Amino acid sequence: MEIPVSAWASELFGSEEKALIVRDRLGQGLVDMQANAQASHLEADVASTQVHGVVRYLGGYERVSAALKSIPGAELVKPNGFRFELVRVGNALLYPFCFSKKDSNVRTAKIQNVWSVIRELFAFAPPSQQADIFGEFEFDPSSVELRPNLAALPKDTRLVLVPFACNAAGLLKPYWGVAALANASGTLDWIIDPEPLPLPAAATLKHSIPQQKTDHPGFDEGEQPIVVLSPRPEADHKLKVTPTTEVPPTEPLANEDDEN
């Protein structure tokens, strides 16, 4: 049974049909991300989950972008100073991030590092409705100075967060929604409640290295080359001429030090 998309998603992406496509592609990209990360972890054959973490981090952007970029009207956006491309579809700029390695409540999700690019992204979010009781951070989206690639986006662009919980054992809880940045520690103020993303049953097939043919002999199993032997002239034997094993060097007709 198809789960209908919410009105906010239909409005941001331009239609209910496109919102459904984006939601399905997002789920597929995250499943592909996890499949690649798990495969890399198993291939590494190490106890540490660091390999999974690195591939998951990279894939959280690259697999999602690959899944979304072919949607009609989709635009790849690379914020200045950020190494990955994000995707804008309709009026929504999508930002995926892992908020936990455990089965956690998404409403407690935080941005781990509120650095300059993150602040620029949240310039496309609504202002926070929470008061910062410690007074350590007051974020006004309208006051952020955007660098060129983000400044070129239409003013009606809205940041849509795609938080997910994930570890080496599985992809736990992916969501999407709209939130404001509440304080410097990365606390989120959810303006539109995060909604679960439905996931496909399987990852898409990856490109693999073709199987090597095994019906050819190895380099040391082939036929030995036939070496043509030329007998020495009888006159050379009688005159005891030393056998020639190498071609004598050719004397150059000119030298580079010659004037002409």
Side-chain angles (χ1 to χ4, degrees):
M1 180 179 178
E2 184 70 61
I3 303 173
V5 295
S6 299
W8 68 266
S10 298
E11 181 181 354
L12 276 180
F13 293 105
S15 69
E16 181 179 358
E17 180 183 8
K18 182 165 283 189
L20 279 170
I21 294 173
V22 174
R23 190 183 68 178
D24 290 345
R25 297 281 188 91
L26 269 175
Q28 187 67 69
L30 292 175
V31 167
D32 291 348
M33 167 206 73
Q34 175 66 358
N36 286 354
Q38 285 183 316
S40 298
H41 174 64
L42 292 174
E43 185 68 23
D45 193 23
V46 294
S48 171
T49 59
Q50 187 174 15
V51 173
H52 173 275
V54 171
V55 179
R56 188 271 308 154
Y57 172 72
L58 299 173
Y61 300 106
E62 294 176 357
R63 297 283 70 73
V64 167
S65 295
L68 294 171
K69 66 182 181 181
S70 62
I71 296 175
E75 175 189 2
L76 294 177
V77 179
K78 190 175 185 300
N80 299 88
F82 195 57
R83 62 181 293 192
F84 302 106
E85 292 177 320
L86 303 179
V87 183
R88 182 179 184 272
V89 185
N91 291 331
L93 179 64
L94 296 153
Y95 177 63
F97 68 99
C98 181
F99 73 90
S100 178
K101 294 182 180 179
K102 301 183 295 184
D103 188 357
S104 303
N105 185 345
V106 69
R107 297 193 68 85
T108 66
K110 298 177 69 173
I111 301 295
Q112 297 300 319
N113 182 14
V114 185
W115 60 299
S116 58
V117 170
I118 296 300
R119 294 193 182 206
E120 290 185 44
L121 291 179
F122 275 93
F124 297 98
S128 176
Q129 299 173 354
Q130 294 181 3
D132 184 2
I133 60 175
F134 298 105
E136 64 177 19
F137 183 70
E138 184 176 347
F139 181 73
D140 178 8
S142 63
S143 67
V144 177
E145 183 177 352
L146 301 176
R147 281 169 286 187
N149 290 352
L150 290 180
L153 295 178
K155 299 302 181 184
D156 57 359
T157 299
R158 178 66 75 212
L159 181 67
V160 174
L161 301 181
V162 186
F164 57 91
C166 183
N167 57 41
L171 176 62
L172 303 175
K173 287 185 174 181
Y175 299 85
W176 67 349
V178 175
L181 189 61
N183 55 40
S185 62
T187 301
L188 297 174
D189 177 13
W190 290 99
I191 309 301
I192 295 175
D193 286 339
E195 300 177 1
L197 284 174
L199 298 177
T204 54
L205 293 176
K206 299 191 306 178
H207 293 294
S208 59
I209 300 174
Q211 291 291 328
Q212 302 299 309
K213 294 183 178 180
T214 58
D215 55 346
H216 293 299
F219 76 94
D220 59 343
E221 298 173 349
E223 295 183 1
Q224 294 292 330
I226 299 175
V227 180
V228 179
L229 301 177
S230 300
R232 296 180 66 208
E234 185 62 28
D236 286 357
H237 281 291
K238 292 181 178 180
L239 296 174
K240 297 182 179 181
V241 176
T242 304
T244 301
T245 57
E246 297 182 1
V247 177
T250 303
E251 292 293 333
L253 299 179
N255 189 287
E256 62 181 4
D257 295 327
D258 293 343
E259 293 185 359
N260 296 310

